[in-house]
Amino acid sequence: MSVRIDIPGLRPESVTVVPSPLAELGMALHALSEPGHHPGLQGWATGVTARMEAHLADRMCEADFLWRTTFSDLFLPYAAVPGALPAGTLAAELDQLDKLTDEQFVDAALEFACVLTYATQAPALLSDPAGRRRALEAAASRGPQQARFARWLLDDPPGVRAWLRRFLEDCAAAFFDDAWSRLRPQLEADARHKTELLRRKGLAEALAAVSPAVTLDGTGARITVDKLTDGHARVAADGLLLVPTSLGRPHLMVLHRYGWQPVLHYPVGSPELAPPASVEELTLRMAALSHPVRMRLCRHLARSAYTTGELAQMHGLSAPEVSRHLGVLKKAGLVTTRRRGRYVLHQLDVTVVARLGSDFLEGMLR
């Protein structure tokens, strides 16, 4: 399974490596909402949360699914604007976000609802009653908060856009401006390094430096990103964009939305590892994850909570088969279950999973 980017005839000068404050703010919000994804940032997240005013914390919860369950493409708006690149300042990149049409904004914002049109042309949800109905039903299955936001988004896109911009500006003043002033030199240095690799050694070397999971095929016509998902994109006239992130580790993300410029959003820096579990727990957990179907289920469960029926539909399996796999994961302590009304939702315990690598090494050495 992988995301493939076709790059026929791509010239090195058409590959741009540049930091993005808006993308980094998106990752800051994600790290604050899901600290278990980022063990090395828990001290920073705890400090920010402790200092945050209550009204801003409440607003952060209103639409946290835009950065908690998915990393919304709204944080990479320049990919939708022909010829645009990250602008270098948050205000300028928020101006780029304002340049998206209402249809583009709504389509990107509704990604959290799992409307599976990411790699194909999306329906015009603002003018298509059937598409609107499907989007609202999908959002309702995620929960009442998501349902309310989806209705607001479809009824009043300008209102949501204004709310989001004000919220991001307030986050910048409250905590992100300080973080960006410290992170920016590291990200700019990494961008210069990758650009120099491109110039001196070519695209293959630069991509290898981005991540071992990113490779260029022998013909130089396709980039493959090793991920537990399938996707495909093709580089057009705007070229390929590489955006480094410090707060985003360990996430290596690929924007391959239909009609948008492909973007590799890759991590720099190093995380801190957490204490190991017992060898018995490690053995049980690794055995549970050894099945390819359970690995694919975990990819979705790491991002959000899903019902058995939703997982069955997404993976083309029967509900009883999914239930059997979930039972193995729950026995190993990797999946938690909660009830919301008539829905039973399952989610990966990312704090436990994040420890597996260090647990394995500790178990082998002691």
Side-chain angles (χ1 to χ4, degrees):
M1 302 180 74
S2 60
V3 178
R4 302 165 302 283
I5 305 174
D6 290 338
I7 55 168
L10 181 69
R11 302 185 308 276
E13 58 268 26
S14 296
V15 181
T16 305
V17 192
V18 59
S20 165
L22 180 55
E24 200 68 357
L25 174 52
M27 291 314 312
L29 291 169
H30 172 69
L32 292 171
S33 299
E34 285 286 4
H37 284 205
H38 307 272
L41 294 176
Q42 288 183 355
W44 173 82
T46 300
V48 170
T49 302
R51 295 189 301 271
M52 188 178 298
E53 293 184 5
H55 74 91
L56 183 59
D58 290 342
R59 290 162 64 199
M60 188 177 295
C61 294
E62 290 182 38
D64 65 349
F65 36 82
L66 294 177
W67 48 81
R68 179 195 291 268
T69 55
T70 62
F71 180 66
S72 175
D73 291 342
L74 294 176
F75 291 102
L76 304 163
Y78 28 81
V81 180
L85 294 172
T89 67
L90 182 62
E93 290 184 5
L94 290 174
D95 289 343
Q96 291 174 326
L97 180 59
D98 288 341
K99 292 180 181 179
L100 269 60
T101 67
D102 282 349
E103 286 288 0
Q104 287 175 313
F105 184 90
V106 168
D107 177 44
L110 280 175
E111 185 183 344
F112 74 87
C114 308
V115 181
L116 302 179
T117 58
Y118 189 84
T120 59
Q121 187 167 8
L125 296 177
L126 296 178
S127 58
D128 178 7
R132 174 190 171 93
R133 184 173 60 254
R134 287 192 299 269
L136 289 173
E137 289 173 352
S141 72
R142 313 305 313 130
Q145 181 184 7
Q146 291 91 326
R148 286 193 297 272
F149 181 83
R151 284 194 296 271
W152 182 28
L153 180 65
L154 290 168
D155 290 340
D156 183 19
V160 176
R161 299 176 74 145
W163 175 88
L164 181 62
R165 177 157 188 154
R166 286 194 302 271
F167 169 71
L168 295 176
E169 290 170 338
D170 289 346
C171 287
F175 63 86
F176 181 70
D177 285 346
D178 177 64
W180 180 246
S181 69
R182 291 181 288 104
L183 296 172
R184 183 173 184 170
Q186 176 196 25
L187 297 177
E188 289 179 339
D190 184 84
R192 287 193 298 271
H193 173 62
K194 299 297 192 299
T195 301
E196 186 67 9
L197 280 176
L198 275 167
R199 187 177 70 85
R200 290 183 174 273
K201 297 188 176 181
L203 182 58
E205 289 283 347
L207 292 175
V210 164
S211 169
V214 183
T215 56
L216 183 67
D217 73 0
T219 67
R222 171 173 285 184
I223 296 170
T224 300
V225 185
D226 185 25
K227 290 176 66 69
L228 281 170
T229 185
D230 285 317
H232 182 259
R234 183 182 180 89
V235 166
D238 289 338
L240 178 66
L241 185 58
L242 309 183
V243 176
T245 171
S246 180
L247 299 177
R249 176 172 290 273
H251 302 303
L252 170 64
M253 293 177 290
V254 187
L255 188 161
H256 56 283
R257 179 179 293 278
Y258 180 88
W260 292 40
Q261 178 187 11
V263 180
L264 282 176
H265 191 227
Y266 66 92
V268 301
S270 300
E272 299 174 5
L273 296 178
S278 69
V279 172
E280 181 181 359
E281 290 172 326
L282 174 65
T283 302
L284 186 63
R285 289 167 184 171
M286 294 187 73
L289 292 172
S290 64
H291 196 288
V293 171
R294 290 195 284 273
M295 288 282 286
R296 292 196 296 272
L297 292 174
C298 284
R299 176 185 174 271
H300 285 89
L301 295 172
R303 289 160 171 78
S304 182
Y306 291 91
T307 66
T308 299
E310 287 176 324
L311 292 168
Q313 182 178 10
M314 284 187 286
H315 293 277
L317 302 170
S318 67
E321 186 175 4
V322 170
S323 292
R324 287 194 295 272
H325 286 299
L326 289 174
V328 174
L329 293 168
K330 284 188 283 188
K331 183 178 179 181
L334 297 169
V335 165
T336 60
T337 298
R338 69 179 188 273
R339 179 175 290 278
R340 181 191 291 139
R342 61 191 181 92
Y343 296 103
V344 177
L345 300 172
H346 313 281
Q347 188 164 20
L348 195 70
D349 188 333
V350 294
T351 303
V352 172
V353 177
R355 293 199 298 263
L356 284 175
S358 55
D359 287 350
F360 177 80
L361 182 60
E362 176 71 13
M364 296 302 101
L365 296 178
R366 71 171 181 248

